[in-house]
């Protein structure tokens, strides 16, 4: 079967592909500003039907008990995606503005393969553990711990890495035996809608187990957070929205799982290869136009080498121009929308108002009349108290800040409301380890080590989130624990 454009304008509700009650809304190519086509625009009534279907599928079927069947369905989905991987690649580049090179990693192929990891967990996980016999008030009891699905999961996702984030929720939630209502971001509905088409047409997922509800209306996310039939909300997005989700979910005491924003530090120690480290920091912040929550956006360098580091970083950034994501050599594609680009540009103005210097970049590239592009930008001359050093910009903007030694670098890295990720560069293993232990973040790369993998738990300290995604830890977020005690002789 070939995926048709109309497949992307359907909702998946209760096993059926249906139109949105609100009609359709436009999907825009951020690299050209052209309308790519239409996505189904769900209303609150559609969301209500999706939640009802997920509830029924959880309560009235054997889905949550049949581990082998779930593993089989997830592998079917992975294989269907693999069979259509080139169609998905082109749609991802067009809809997300994702650089082509990145679709062979975390923008597409990585997350598709990760579904196999979660299927494997459904097969291999210890669903029951024997706690042995205990005696309480003279009564002997034999205890077992059972691990069970939480129930109906509301999954709310952003636009920057749609496949990675959609599958990092669908994979473990379904493998664990939950049913899911997925609400993707309005900017990237097709990446999710086409998964719904494949689920309906090429897999044996029972009706209601997966529901995919695209909408131009953010309020449908809020609906998932408040509806009493939803047991767990798994949210990825901005910290501000995460707080709103947690507040709303408190009314029905749902479990909440939050992956939020970041302002991660790239720490260069004084014994590191300065030019190599600065080159990698420049590459990282330019990747996908800086639209990654875990990308490092503060570059901390030894004060005595500050000028040298500014020069090396600027040189590297000049070699990473913003450009057409279709080109295999493009690292920095467009920003997702005009609104997001305006937000980034407001921060560039703020950097200057705060006394910073734009060393390179600082605005729209002159060679692109259309497309929401921003040149990779380096801001110098500010310390960590500047707003551009504290707030998430979500664009290709790097702030370079001097530090006075390893402990000062740790202090600056931690002087942030966020704690998502980071990078440490140095040659002395003891000093590197000291910094690794001092930095309060959920992931850290050392000298270029890559932490992203299916089995690697990812998530944030502080206001970067609650819980972990991926790995066994990410799978267990979607489980409840039941203790069963029986008389023992
Ligand atoms: P956003 O918070 O605006 O939206 C995320 C999702 O929440 C969308 O689907 C949106 O429709 C929905 N939503 C909006 N208002 C809602 C509400 N009141 N209740 C429930 N749902 C609501 O984020 P965005 O602009 O789509 O994405 C960018 C942000 O996401 C950045 O801050 C980035 O750091 C963060 N992010 C975090 C991670 C992570 O894993 N930590 C990954 C990717 C992106």
């Amino acid at each position: 079967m070939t995926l048709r454009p109309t497949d992307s304008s359907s909702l998946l509700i209760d096993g059926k592909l249906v139109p949105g009650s609100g009609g359709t809304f436009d999907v825009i190519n951020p690299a050209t500003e052209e309308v790519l086509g239409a996505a189904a625009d769900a209303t609150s009534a559609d969301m209500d039907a999706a939640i009802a279907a997920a509830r029924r599928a959880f309560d009235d079927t054997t889905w949550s008990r049949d581990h082998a069947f779930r593993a089989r369905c997830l592998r079917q989905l992975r294989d269907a995606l693999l069979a259509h991987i080139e169609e998905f690649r082109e749609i991802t580049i067009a809809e997300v503005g994702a650089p082509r090179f990145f679709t062979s990693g975390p923008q597409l192929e990585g997350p598709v393969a990760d579904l196999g990891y979660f299927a494997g967990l459904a097969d291999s996980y210890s669903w029951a553990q024997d706690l042995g016999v205990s005696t309480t008030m003279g009564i002997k009891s034999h205890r077992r711990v059972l691990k069970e699905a939480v129930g109906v999961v509301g999954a709310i996702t952003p636009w920057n890495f749609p496949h990675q984030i959609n599958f990092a929720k669908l994979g473990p939630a379904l493998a664990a035996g939950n049913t899911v209502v997925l609400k993707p971001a309005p900017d990237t509905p097709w990446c999710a809608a086409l998964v719904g088409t494949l689920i309906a047409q090429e897999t044996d997922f029972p009706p209601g187990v997966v529901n995919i509800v695209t909408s131009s209306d953010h309020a449908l996310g809020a609906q998932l957070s408040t509806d009493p039939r939803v047991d767990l909300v798994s949210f990825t997005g901005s910290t501000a929205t995460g707080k709103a989700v947690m507040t709303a979910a408190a009314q029905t005491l749902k479990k909440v799982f939050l992956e939020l924003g970041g302002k991660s530090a790239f720490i260069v120690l004084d014994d590191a290869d300065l030019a190599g480290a600065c080159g990698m920091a420049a590459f990282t912040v330019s990747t996908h136009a800086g639209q990654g929550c875990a990308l490092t956006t503060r570059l901390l360098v030894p004060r005595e080498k500050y000028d040298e580091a500014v020069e090396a970083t600027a040189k590297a950034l000049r070699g990473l121009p913003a450009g057409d994501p279709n080109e295999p050599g493009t690292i920095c594609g467009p920003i997702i929308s005009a609104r997001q680009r305006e937000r980034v540009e407001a921060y560039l103005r703020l950097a200057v108002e705060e006394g910073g210097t734009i060393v390179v970049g600082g605005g729209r590239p002159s060679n692109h009349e259309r497309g929401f592009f921003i040149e990779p930008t380096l801001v110098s001359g500010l310390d960590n108290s500047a707003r551009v050093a504290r707030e998430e910009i979500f664009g290709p903007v790097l702030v370079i800040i001097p530090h006075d030694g390893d402990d000062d670098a740790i202090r600056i890295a931690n002087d942030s409301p966020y704690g998502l990720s980071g990078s440490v560069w140095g040659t002395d293993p003891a000093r590197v380890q000291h910094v690794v232990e001092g930095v309060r973040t959920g992931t850290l790369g050392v000298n270029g080590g890559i932490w992203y993998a299916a089995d690697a738990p990812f998530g944030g300290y502080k206001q970067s989130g609650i819980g972990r995604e991926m790995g066994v830890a990410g799978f267990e977020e979607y489980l409840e624990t039941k203790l069963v005690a029986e008389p023992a002789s």
Side-chain angles (χ1 to χ4, degrees):
M1 161 205 139
T2 306
L3 289 170
R4 294 159 297 142
T6 46
D7 294 331
S8 49
S9 57
S10 295
L11 311 173
L12 175 62
I13 297 179
D14 208 9
K16 296 187 190 69
L17 296 169
V18 295
S21 300
T24 60
F25 63 102
D26 287 346
V27 179
I28 310 288
N29 181 332
T32 62
E33 305 183 33
E34 286 162 3
V35 176
L36 286 167
D41 203 2
T43 62
S44 166
D46 296 323
M47 180 56 89
D48 187 71
I51 296 171
R55 188 74 256 168
R56 269 197 311 276
F58 186 80
D59 292 339
D60 301 344
T61 76
T62 56
W63 173 254
S64 67
R65 298 168 189 230
D66 194 341
H67 310 315
F69 177 54
R70 298 200 304 273
R72 184 159 73 77
C73 290
L74 278 168
R75 291 193 180 101
Q76 279 179 328
L77 176 58
R78 178 203 53 196
D79 294 346
L81 287 158
L82 285 174
H84 293 282
I85 203 79
E86 295 312 321
E87 291 149 270
F88 269 87
R89 192 186 313 284
E90 299 312 317
I91 284 164
T92 305
I93 294 166
E95 183 182 56
V96 186
R100 182 173 293 277
F101 91 98
F102 227 24
T103 62
S104 46
Q107 273 294 14
L108 179 62
E109 291 183 31
V112 168
D114 293 348
L115 289 174
Y117 169 80
F118 294 115
L121 278 181
D123 277 334
S124 65
Y125 190 68
S126 294
W127 296 97
Q129 289 149 24
D130 192 337
L131 263 195
V133 174
S134 74
T135 305
T136 303
M137 293 184 295
I139 300 170
K140 283 187 173 178
S141 299
H142 185 204
R143 292 92 29 83
R144 289 174 291 142
V145 176
L146 304 183
K147 300 301 262 187
E148 298 182 340
V150 175
V152 174
V153 171
I156 307 170
T157 58
W159 41 261
N160 57 334
F161 282 78
H163 300 302
Q164 199 283 322
I165 299 168
N166 291 344
F167 294 147
K169 298 191 188 307
L170 287 174
L174 295 168
N178 301 275
T179 59
V180 180
V181 179
L182 170 65
K183 195 213 79 65
D187 311 84
T188 52
W190 280 7
C191 285
L194 289 172
V195 175
T197 302
L198 290 190
I199 287 173
Q201 298 184 349
E202 300 193 20
T203 73
D204 295 329
F205 279 99
V209 164
V210 190
N211 304 271
I212 298 183
V213 182
T214 59
S215 179
S216 60
D217 187 357
H218 294 300
L220 269 59
Q223 192 176 340
L224 275 176
S225 317
T226 50
D227 193 296
R229 295 167 294 178
V230 176
D231 299 294
L232 184 160
V233 179
S234 180
F235 172 83
T236 298
S238 60
T239 293
T241 309
K243 288 177 185 175
V245 166
M246 194 166 175
T247 304
Q251 297 312 309
T252 49
L253 282 177
K254 294 183 202 322
K255 282 183 90 169
V256 286
F257 168 79
L258 303 173
E259 294 289 357
L260 309 175
K263 193 75 187 179
S264 299
F266 191 114
I267 300 172
V268 185
L269 304 183
D270 64 11
D271 63 353
D273 163 14
L274 189 73
C278 291
M280 184 52 77
F283 179 87
T284 304
V285 81
S286 304
T287 306
H288 192 26
Q291 300 168 106
C293 49
L295 297 176
T296 41
T297 50
R298 292 182 292 155
L299 175 56
L300 313 187
V301 298
R303 188 178 298 279
E304 64 279 10
K305 297 183 178 177
Y306 188 74
D307 292 344
E308 196 187 331
V310 169
E311 203 174 303
T313 311
K315 186 175 169 208
L317 286 172
R318 281 191 198 98
L320 295 159
D324 182 357
N326 276 298
E327 295 295 329
T330 297
I331 307 301
C332 180
I335 302 286
I336 189 72
S337 63
R339 187 180 62 91
Q340 278 295 122
R341 180 170 63 175
E342 277 160 26
R343 191 171 169 275
V344 175
E345 288 175 325
Y347 274 110
L348 295 176
R349 289 193 295 277
L350 179 65
V352 176
E353 285 160 25
E354 289 188 302
T357 301
I358 307 277
V359 185
V360 58
R364 304 178 186 193
S366 54
N367 57 344
H368 287 280
E369 278 186 15
R370 297 186 74 74
F372 309 123
F373 295 98
I374 290 280
E375 285 290 13
T377 299
L378 181 65
V379 178
S380 71
L382 293 174
D383 66 22
N384 200 55
S385 64
R387 276 183 60 198
V388 291
R390 306 192 73 77
E391 297 176 17
E392 186 177 55
I393 298 174
F394 231 56
V397 183
L398 186 60
V399 183
I400 185 165
I401 298 167
H403 69 74
D404 293 309
D406 301 2
D407 285 325
D408 193 43
I410 296 171
R411 179 191 64 76
I412 297 170
N414 289 341
D415 179 17
S416 169
Y418 298 112
L420 192 53
S421 189
S423 189
V424 184
W425 286 62
T427 50
D428 179 343
R431 286 177 58 192
V432 168
Q433 182 61 18
H434 179 69
V435 176
V436 164
E437 289 171 9
V439 174
R440 306 274 301 155
T441 65
T443 50
L444 268 178
V446 172
N447 291 325
I450 293 175
W451 43 257
Y452 167 73
D455 63 351
F458 168 71
Y461 286 29
K462 302 194 275 183
Q463 293 190 31
S464 287
I466 297 177
R468 290 294 175 272
E469 202 146 68
M470 314 285 281
V472 175
F475 177 75
E476 290 180 334
E477 296 284 350
Y478 295 94
L479 292 174
E480 285 282 13
T481 299
K482 180 180 282 174
L483 188 286
V484 181
E486 295 164 83
S489 49

